[in-house]
Amino acid sequence: MSITVALAQVNLMVGDIEGNAERVMRCAERLRGKADLAVFPELTLTGYPPEDLLLRPACDVRVNAALREIARVASGITLVLGYPVTRDGLRYNAAGVLRDGVVAAEYLKMKLPNYSVFDERRYFEPGTNAVVFEQGGVRFGVTICEDVWFDVPVQRAASAGAEVLLNLNASPFYQHKAEEREKLVGERASRFGVSVVYVNLVGGQDELVFDGGSFVLDRRGEICHRAPFFEESETLVTLDRGVPKPANVEPVLDELEQVYGALVTGTRDYVAKNGFSSVVLGLSGGIDSALTLTIAVDALGAKSVEAVSMPSRYTAQLSNDEARRQAERMGVDFQSIPIESVFQAFLDTLTDTFAGTEPDLTEENIQARSRGIILMAISNKRGRMLLTTGNKSEMSVGYATLYGDMAGGFAPLKDVPKTLVYRLAHWRNRNGEVIPQAVIDRPPSAELRADQKDADSLPDYAVLDPILARYVEEDQAVDEIVAAGFDRATVERVTRMVDRSEYKRRQAPPGVKITRRAYGRDRRYPIVNGF
Amino acid sequence: MSITVALAQVNLMVGDIEGNAERVMRCAERLRGKADLAVFPELTLTGYPPEDLLLRPACDVRVNAALREIARVASGITLVLGYPVTRDGLRYNAAGVLRDGVVAAEYLKMKLPNYSVFDERRYFEPGTNAVVFEQGGVRFGVTICEDVWFDVPVQRAASAGAEVLLNLNASPFYQHKAEEREKLVGERASRFGVSVVYVNLVGGQDELVFDGGSFVLDRRGEICHRAPFFEESETLVTLDRGVPKPANVEPVLDELEQVYGALVTGTRDYVAKNGFSSVVLGLSGGIDSALTLTIAVDALGAKSVEAVSMPSRYTAQLSNDEARRQAERMGVDFQSIPIESVFQAFLDTLTDTFAGTEPDLTEENIQARSRGIILMAISNKRGRMLLTTGNKSEMSVGYATLYGDMAGGFAPLKDVPKTLVYRLAHWRNRNGEVIPQAVIDRPPSAELRADQKDADSLPDYAVLDPILARYVEEDQAVDEIVAAGFDRATVERVTRMVDRSEYKRRQAPPGVKITRRAYGRDRRYPIVNGF
């Protein structure tokens, strides 16, 4: 006796309850006759994370209406999907089993993550009871995301007789997450002797990317099926007397392919889900904007991308040439808009005000901000979202100009350290040079004064990035970092720069989380901070 | 037999563990001989809220060292103070009773707020046990902040024999909070028959202001003592056989005095605690910047404030005259820097790029952003923090230019609706005109094109503000707001504007929370949002 389960790995829209319900119903229509059971991601109807939309009483009303609609089409196929539910004035993160026109069973998530980017205790109470339902002679347990990272929920499901666990997820990407996930779920499967159908969300939502890669493990924890990463899919797995039969196993992507896939997905979805169809960015002839351009083109297509070079009196000819070369090679709109006359107009306007002072960072910032105004003007005039091109190393130490190069709607590289920017640039060139080699080879420079180099203000990125990873992602103290072999003066200077730049990061646009700890919801630091 | 308790209402520095410990020890020295017991605010040593600093292992190490130092001076006086503590790998929000050189008792907070601006479940586990200690024949219970908003912690303390409850707080201000607090604590006092010594933090921390107003209630819930608002104080209350004797009762401030006090305190502390001693702001001749100027002067003194008027071709003469008049009246540095030449330079630079298009919002934004650059240049050159002057109504509907009038380090009026801006301006003029009457009387305008008025783009503020309060602060749905008597088309337009402006708010500087729900940590909305 066999039963077929569909893993509905869908890309949903946060807050669009009716639209997400429509997606579920269309999926049910398509799968009826092919699958007995379809499993959707966590909080299917609201998308994830719905954040404070959950606090709106209208959210409940609309979810309940959508659920009734979906229940009506739940015949000939069982649908397992996620939604928020309120019982006796308390809200839960629920998974409903819809069949024969009704919600036949409802599981309430037990383990509510409240760390990193997660705020589930802000919204939900924990459930306590296992839910097991029977279909086609197989007993299915239901759990939600974080639940399978702990023993108790799985143990309760197994004790209640579950042979196969359906786990609904909204598990955001960071480096190596896919491997970590399967290992952990595999341990749970073998420990409690249950097969696991793990269905993940796919797509970008603000700073998060859900990478898909849904999978099925047997009761020994061995992989039977893996869905693709970073794309929607409806894959089928047949259970024979509760035992999953081997199906297609997509490969796990290598490290750089994973990260690049997340950057492209996050950028594409942020732009499109905010109602934009094209972007503009400043192309400086440096490596950050060069990589941002390839991400933009891979996400949206060359026709939807405009690149602007904005040379100043300090811009090397190499910068102009290589920017133009890459733009032409990639087939994007390109123009060069010199900033000299606006820069000079600011200097003239401020002559009296600044009389008797020496040029300093002020004049550098005026240039960066003049570029910000020009790019925002193009964004406003043509309805194109401005992508900002800064990387995580700069964002960490504040080596960026607020309202200047930090201006923009989205920052694809915000969580990508500079050393990883280089590795990704090499990787993107693997099938032929897209990013000019000269851009990769030149020493990094902001070109905001004569002969300026990043190395004048910052340690080498090969030294800076590991210090930043230890301080920002691993919470190490100065002494620990020094003990690991770094120069004390450098560590003290770097960590001080990180602390003092929080005010800039607070005004930065969102970007794609790809590390274990990104700036944004993931790292909540005070600005006023005497630590 | 009597015992004297000191309410140490102090202004602490988040993260400065050693500095805060030093404050406690100096206070102990001063009070020894005058008080038997001194009570400090919640999380005294880290300040509140320490946010993700709590995740740094170094935090624990430094707190423990500070605690040992303080315990050494705890002789001849008992100190009750707050700090984070880790037990068996779990972190708690603790209050320690330090006397005779040791931590004699330690209470672990039971009720951990995880709503509004609070994230305590992100950091802490809840405690379960009451702590009661005896001194001078009186049995004191200890609780922390949120605990007294619930019955259970107070009940447990009372059951364990507490006659007087010492409650350590970091209770942030919003309108009418002081009244609400005393009413609620009074209910708890009378229900469980305990007197309450309620010690609050005072001062600003990023978006929060702690308003002080510490108080003592007797077991009937009647007020015996109230400390001043918005300033540090060490006041003494004597307990006679556990019964508080009447002491000085400071008046509760009226509504506008409360709000204005919060704005001044929040601005002063944000500027000073970030290491700045002066500010600069754009003074447009409109009411928002006029009120921001009075706040800045009241917070920092006239000598620390610089006002800049930046007229364009669309600026009325009235704006220039009244800006200058107010600046002179208040005795602040003032200069006028016309933006015409930089504006024209941008238009010239973009002539080719924008050929064949009509002027639109783009050109308006270029003006606002040119002003942003000039103000940031002054900020950079002179080391003055830029205050931005926008109000909550504008911030709600996105009637503000990102990187333009939104540029700045701090936004004093960010949570103040426009109608309240008017009331505060009248109130600030109560002892003589400071804000020119012509500024109050003129119709609001951004002056970014000829004859522009806010009323061309927005409903009257008298209509807009109540719609916003219902939608943003009370989570009402469109239908509910319409049912309350507002025009449907207007409500739909306004709520759509709020939803679509989230991306701007995400890049806005912090400001002082004065309403029940401010933008920032208090309202966590997705940017990509199909609700």
Side-chain angles (χ1 to χ4, degrees), chain A residues 14 116 122 206 365 380 527 530, chain B residues 14 116 122 206 365 380 527 530:
Chain A
V14 161
S116 176
R122 184 174 170 90
D206 288 358
N365 283 339
N380 287 164
I527 299 177
Chain B
V14 161
S116 178
R122 183 174 171 90
D206 288 358
N365 284 338
N380 287 164
I527 298 177

Side-chain angles (χ1 to χ4, degrees), chain B residues 393-459:
Chain B
S393 310
E394 292 172 358
M395 196 53 44
S396 299
V397 294
Y399 196 69
T401 300
L402 202 51
Y403 323 132
D405 52 304
M406 286 177 66
F410 199 66
L413 303 183
K414 185 179 182 186
D415 198 35
V416 183
K418 186 83 170 189
T419 47
L420 184 53
V421 169
Y422 279 102
R423 293 174 61 212
L424 288 166
H426 278 291
W427 179 85
R428 183 61 184 74
N429 277 354
R430 71 199 180 289
N431 300 323
E433 188 180 295
V434 180
I435 298 170
Q437 193 60 40
V439 168
I440 298 178
D441 292 341
R442 68 192 303 205
S445 165
E447 297 193 316
L448 294 171
R449 60 172 189 267
D451 301 321
Q452 186 179 33
K453 297 280 172 291
D454 289 13
D456 305 337
S457 308
L458 302 176

